[in-house]
């Protein structure tokens, strides 16, 4: 079973947008609120923009990494995690032209994405949605939830990841920050 989720930016929803920052590529129009529909077709109220992704299988995570992550990661929806980030990302054609082993090498051996991210668990809860094969404008929709007390750490994490070789393959990135309305 696939689990589609559609992130709808518009004028209502349980999350209030605090900032929208275009890190790379074309921007996305301002929306004051966000809601998440568990459906791929937003219907008549599609908002200002609607981005659909699907929770998928792991591509790069190795067994020991998977065990380390599951041992400490927190789930979404913690009452204290009133801050969130939706960061849609598109990678370059050069990235997609690489082989699986080359991508894994860049992702972890060179960029230490998992090793870096692990240090921020369980403070930051996360969920990754894939959308490259759905034909939308992004390849991934990344979602994070954290308590206000961990906002500084989340900044350090995104800044660290943006310095990596992996990020040199990112052609479009919008950083959308939210608080529970
Ligand atoms: C993929 C962990 C933070 C963006 C992954 C994967 C893991 C991971 C394990 C690989 C999934 C697979 O095997 O397919 C973490 C951890 C984080 C974190 C533990 C700490 C909270 C972030 C942040 C961003 C991000 C802050 C964005 C600014 C992505 C993207 C992918 C990804 C775009 C997909 C990469 C691809 O398939 O090419 N992350 N991550 N991650 N993560 Fe993170």
């Amino acid at each position: 079973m696939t689990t589609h989720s559609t992130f709808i930016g518009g004028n209502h929803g349980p999350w209030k947008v605090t900032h929208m920052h275009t890190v790379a590529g074309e921007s996305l129009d301002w929306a004051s609120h966000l809601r998440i529909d568990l459906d791929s077709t937003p219907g008549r109220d599609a908002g200002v923009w609607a981005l659909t992704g699907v929770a998928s299988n792991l591509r790069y995570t190795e067994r020991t990494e998977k065990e380390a992550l599951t041992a400490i990661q927190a789930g979404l929806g913690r009452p204290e995690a009133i801050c969130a980030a939706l960061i849609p990302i598109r990678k370059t054609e050069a990235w997609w032209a690489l082989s699986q082993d080359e991508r894994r090498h860049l992702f972890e051996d060179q960029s230490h994405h998992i090793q870096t991210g692990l240090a921020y668990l369980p403070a930051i809860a996360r969920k990754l949605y894939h959308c490259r094969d759905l034909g939308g404008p992004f390849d991934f929709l990344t979602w994070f939830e954290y308590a206000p007390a961990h906002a500084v750490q989340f900044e350090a994490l995104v800044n660290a990841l943006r310095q990596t070789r992996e990020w040199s393959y990112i052609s479009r990135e919008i950083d959308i920050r939210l608080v529970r309305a």
Side-chain angles (χ1 to χ4, degrees):
M1 194 191 81
T2 54
T3 348
H4 286 88
S5 294
T6 301
F7 293 82
I8 303 167
N11 58 12
H12 65 98
W15 293 95
K16 194 173 147 32
V17 177
T18 56
H19 306 279
M20 277 183 71
H21 171 58
T22 304
V23 182
E26 199 189 324
S27 63
L28 207 55
D29 287 341
W30 169 259
S32 63
H33 291 76
L34 179 90
R35 67 183 201 279
I36 306 163
D37 273 11
L38 298 178
D39 193 352
S40 56
T41 45
R44 51 191 176 80
D45 185 12
V48 178
W49 40 259
L51 303 171
T52 300
V54 62
S56 185
N57 58 285
L58 297 172
R59 271 44 169 194
Y60 306 111
T61 313
E62 295 183 347
R63 169 61 57 191
T64 51
E65 293 162 343
K66 185 179 172 179
E67 283 168 2
L69 289 161
T70 9
I72 52 168
Q73 71 196 7
L76 301 180
R78 292 169 296 174
E80 70 276 18
I82 61 163
C83 301
L86 170 65
I87 309 183
I89 285 178
R90 186 182 178 95
K91 284 187 167 176
T92 60
E93 289 311 311
W95 172 265
W96 294 109
L98 295 170
S99 60
Q100 180 70 17
D101 57 323
E102 289 169 323
R103 287 194 297 262
R104 158 74 200 185
H105 183 69
L106 273 160
F107 176 84
E108 191 58 26
D109 306 325
Q110 296 204 318
S111 304
H112 313 293
H113 186 126
I114 300 174
Q115 194 191 309
T116 302
L118 263 171
Y120 294 86
L121 305 189
I124 314 294
R126 71 192 173 92
K127 187 153 179 176
L128 174 65
Y129 299 85
H130 284 256
C131 39
R132 177 169 168 81
D133 295 336
L134 303 179
F138 295 98
D139 295 333
F140 310 98
L141 307 175
T142 66
W143 176 259
F144 307 92
E145 291 179 7
Y146 50 93
H150 297 125
V152 172
Q153 276 151 274
F154 188 69
E155 260 13 271
L157 168 63
V158 292
N159 288 335
L161 289 175
R162 286 180 184 140
Q163 309 302 314
T164 62
R165 284 224 38 210
E166 183 195 356
W167 248 253
S168 69
Y169 289 89
I170 287 177
S171 56
R172 192 174 180 197
E173 178 179 4
I174 321 286
D175 191 329
I176 305 165
R177 298 304 177 87
L178 313 110
V179 287
R180 267 187 224 281

